[in-house]
Amino acid sequence: MTRSADTDFADADTSDRKSVRKTVLIVHAQPERTSLTRTLVDVAEQTLRAAGHEVLQSDLYAMGWKAVYDEQDFPVRTDADRLDFVRESGHAFEQGHQPADVVEEQRKLLAADLVILQFPLWWFGMPAIMKGWIDRVWARGLAYGRNGQGNRVRYGEGGFEGRRAMVSVTTGGPAADYGPRGINGPIDQLLFPITHGTLFYPGMSVLKTHAVHGAGRMTPEAVEAVSTAWRERLAHVFDEAPVAFRAQNGGDYPDGHELGVEVAPGVTGFAAHVAAVA
């Protein structure tokens, strides 16, 4: 990638997103073609295309995606003796030395109006191959540290601002396990590092998580029911109000690090970082 290609990335941020036709990128991680995850990917593609939208896919297993983030991602180093990932990531992005597979995924990401991460919940998070996609594609200078501003622009602002994002997850356990008092913990709290940390951090507007539970014991009738519910959700996906995460620079974090004493008094943990919706 050349420096001019970097400029093309920046220009993609200002593309017209008001037209009826949208572009949706579905990133998915499940190697079994007959899985519920892959069924939901197929339903999403069919539904969105039928509505006139363009659909891009990143089928990480089929792509043989390199999940390990290591020195191979930096063919031209600023420091040959010590691998500083943040510094080398910024250097590779700015100077056009990123691997071709990373450049292509960034191109698809920046072309998208909506990014859907579709995955089965494995050990309370995304599969390693998808985490590796994030690690490698979220480059410094693109997803964070944009224009040399460091942490001054994040959580509601950043390189991916203007795009919507959604996590669509399947779980093996029943819904009760992921409820407010469920033994596994509430699904929104389990996924907070992804929705708030991975997606909202670089500026995306994050929609409520779409969760389908009990994936391993579904009858054909149940699969059809969840497919119908997914179609109905996607039919209005561009009209939904995003989760009201508090923006870093919206006044709730006076020092850019900690909530002001007058904000959500008495509330701690993840819940404090979501504004009440009237």
Side-chain angles (χ1 to χ4, degrees), residues 205-216:
S205 297
V206 184
L207 304 180
K208 182 176 175 57
T209 293
H210 191 84
V212 176
H213 302 290

Side-chain angles (χ1 to χ4, degrees), residues 70-78 88 91-92 96-99:
D70 57 19
E71 66 277 359
Q72 295 179 38
D73 283 275
F74 313 113
V76 180
R77 297 263 291 273
T78 62
E88 298 297 348
H91 177 259
H97 298 313
Q98 296 180 114

